[in-house]
Amino acid sequence: MTKALEGVRILDFTHVQSGPTCTQLLAWFGADVIKVERAGEGDATRGQLRDIPGVDSLYFTMLNHNKRSITLDTKKAKGKEVLDRLIRECDVLVENFAPGALDRMGITWEHIQALNPRMIVASVKGFGPGKYEECKVYENVAQCAGGSASTTGFDDGPPMVTGAQIGDSGTGLHLALGIVAALYQRQTTGRGQKVLAPMQDAVLNLCRVKLRDQQRLERTGTMHEYPQYPDGKFGEAVPRAGNASGGGQPGSILRCKGWEHDPNAYIYFITQAAVWPAICKVIGEDGWIDDEAYATPQARLLHLKPIFARIERWTMTKDKFEAMDILNQYDIPCGPILSMKEIANDPALRATGTIVEVDHPTRGRYLTVGNPIKLSDSPTDVTRSPLLGEHTDEILQQLGYGTDEVAMLHTELVV
């Protein structure tokens, strides 16, 4: 069985997280990803947050599966020659350097097009064109500039970033989609093109419901689904909503049995209109089913705090999994707050390949995420990340260099 992107060759000039997320996803789908690194150094994350001295960190290994590594000094003439051969042979060049860095390396769009007019050049940048386009951006900066932080947290506290890497990994996912779209269009046009995914844009795309709410707020001056209603005041911008969904189905995180000593003994509970009678029966408030104060979704918006307080009195009598089992019998939407330890040991996630164990020659066996996207005709086999420069000779030989030439390149210290 062939892979979805089999035959596609990616020249990977990415580092840290956003770019490697993109190229790893493409590698999982079967593309041949050639990661270009500096000899002796490599991707900065190889040495960051190490838990084993002298061994590639989990930060690196979990972002660079299924790739090959070549070390190359592009400042030297022979290094540039090798790079030009790679450009001719590859379909996509992916980079997440600081703005202008690729041009300063001499790898301009014009140079690439002269060598390979079918080449797609895909870039992650912090900001798109505008007054901030030259700024360097990291994960939390992207979350702040993209609207996530201002709308995350509780109303009486400061803006907050989320633990999900929506700036880095989220942008990498967006860029991967852009690359696949450009490859598809190339089948018709025969031409390569530039693909740009600014981190600010990607975060905003993931925060679109808050942009929706900004317009609703400007039109009406209030939003009934937010916890500030009906007692609090709304300002000019969308406020932080705590754990409320802010959508059409009110929800909240509620304590479960054991919350006093377990920081994750909580459940997310949604008071979906269709199952309101079932909710009332489960918590022992049958009278609310026909009570005018609670009978309709609109009426309940005036009483969400006491409603969730009463539901929480029930959830505190059950652990989160017991509550899940009961609520699911009635199709009441809910979900346990799962810790990373619980997720790591979840048998269902392991069975589907969402969590996998991988063997590494120096690290040993470790746990990592697998491909979150499942294709029925192209299953993903997660292989380990490459050692620094592990495939240099192999790639040079595939580019047409003979054994003596490969040895010479080593002697001249260009790889």
Side-chain angles (χ1 to χ4, degrees):
M1 186 177 294
T2 60
K3 299 293 185 180
L5 294 181
E6 189 170 315
V8 174
R9 184 168 288 178
I10 310 292
L11 186 56
D12 184 0
F13 266 98
T14 70
H15 58 289
V16 191
Q17 185 177 167
S18 60
T21 296
C22 168
T23 53
Q24 177 171 260
L25 191 62
L26 299 173
W28 278 340
F29 285 132
D32 177 16
V33 175
I34 300 171
K35 187 175 180 73
V36 179
E37 301 184 78
R38 289 183 182 180
E41 298 180 30
D43 190 316
T45 59
R46 285 186 182 270
Q48 287 182 3
L49 306 177
R50 272 186 172 138
D51 57 315
I52 304 175
V55 172
D56 288 340
S57 72
L58 288 166
Y59 195 6
F60 175 84
T61 60
M62 294 176 70
L63 285 161
N64 290 282
H65 293 112
N66 296 60
K67 303 179 184 180
R68 297 193 291 166
S69 170
I70 179 174
T71 51
L72 193 63
D73 186 347
T74 59
K75 294 180 180 179
K76 296 185 177 181
K78 281 292 183 180
K80 290 181 179 179
E81 176 193 306
V82 173
L83 176 59
D84 284 351
R85 286 202 192 188
L86 283 168
I87 291 172
R88 290 190 184 95
E89 294 294 325
C90 290
D91 299 284
V92 185
L93 185 154
V94 189
E95 60 92 16
N96 63 331
F97 292 122
L102 209 61
D103 288 348
R104 291 191 293 272
M105 293 168 61
I107 314 174
T108 63
W109 170 250
E110 291 74 20
H111 179 72
I112 293 169
Q113 285 288 287
L115 294 171
N116 182 359
R118 290 174 55 82
M119 170 72 80
I120 293 161
V121 178
S123 303
V124 169
K125 293 292 175 277
F127 294 94
K131 62 179 179 179
Y132 296 125
E133 64 181 303
E134 299 302 320
C135 295
K136 186 181 291 186
V137 172
Y138 291 91
E139 171 65 46
N140 288 355
V141 175
Q143 289 195 31
C144 293
S148 176
S150 70
T151 56
T152 302
F154 289 89
D155 195 39
D156 57 355
M160 294 188 68
V161 296
T162 173
Q165 304 290 282
I166 60 175
D168 277 324
S169 288
T171 304
L173 292 169
H174 281 81
L175 187 66
L177 175 59
I179 289 169
V180 172
L183 285 168
Y184 183 82
Q185 187 174 25
R186 193 180 70 176
Q187 293 181 351
T188 302
T189 66
R191 300 194 308 271
Q193 62 180 296
K194 298 178 185 178
V195 180
L196 173 65
M199 295 171 74
Q200 181 188 39
D201 299 29
V203 171
L204 176 58
N205 186 46
L206 297 174
C207 293
R208 71 183 71 177
V209 296
K210 299 301 182 181
L211 184 59
R212 170 205 68 191
D213 289 349
Q214 179 64 36
Q215 296 170 86
R216 294 172 57 226
L217 178 62
E218 291 173 358
R219 185 177 298 275
T220 66
T222 185
M223 290 184 291
H224 294 179
E225 300 82 6
Y226 275 61
Q228 288 79 359
Y229 178 82
D231 305 319
K233 294 182 179 180
F234 288 88
E236 295 181 345
V238 173
R240 292 180 277 285
N243 290 317
S245 69
Q249 307 294 338
S252 186
I253 291 179
L254 306 178
R255 292 174 290 179
C256 292
K257 182 191 292 185
W259 68 271
E260 300 92 339
H261 54 81
D262 181 355
N264 295 298
Y266 291 82
I267 192 170
Y268 198 89
F269 192 110
I270 297 175
T271 56
Q272 185 184 29
V275 293
W276 176 248
I279 292 171
C280 296
K281 291 177 181 178
V282 167
I283 67 173
E285 294 290 352
D286 297 52
W288 283 2
I289 297 174
D290 299 315
D291 189 324
E292 290 184 1
Y294 302 97
T296 67
Q298 198 64 30
R300 289 194 290 274
L301 291 176
L302 293 167
H303 308 287
L304 286 180
K305 290 178 182 177
I307 287 173
F308 281 119
R310 175 63 185 90
I311 296 172
E312 189 174 56
R313 282 168 49 197
W314 179 82
T315 60
M316 289 173 67
T317 67
K318 309 284 187 295
D319 71 38
K320 60 190 178 186
F321 298 111
E322 291 172 336
M324 278 281 294
D325 289 341
I326 294 170
L327 297 172
N328 280 327
Q329 293 178 37
Y330 301 95
D331 292 328
I332 298 171
C334 59
I337 308 304
L338 296 178
S339 69
M340 279 296 150
K341 183 176 182 179
E342 289 170 318
I343 289 172
N345 294 303
D346 189 312
L349 293 177
R350 293 200 178 212
T352 59
T354 300
I355 295 287
V356 297
E357 289 188 17
V358 179
D359 283 318
H360 190 276
T362 58
R363 163 167 291 282
R365 200 161 182 81
Y366 68 96
L367 203 63
T368 188
V369 296
N371 194 341
I373 304 168
K374 321 299 186 192
L375 300 184
S376 62
D377 281 0
S378 184
T380 298
D381 300 313
V382 177
T383 61
R384 67 169 176 84
S385 60
L387 301 175
L388 180 59
E390 180 178 354
H391 304 94
T392 297
D393 289 0
E394 175 183 287
I395 293 169
L396 290 174
Q397 289 168 358
Q398 289 176 349
L399 290 174
Y401 289 98
T403 303
D404 292 342
E405 290 178 294
V406 171
M408 180 190 68
L409 289 173
H410 279 287
T411 302
E412 294 185 10
L413 300 178
V414 297
V415 297

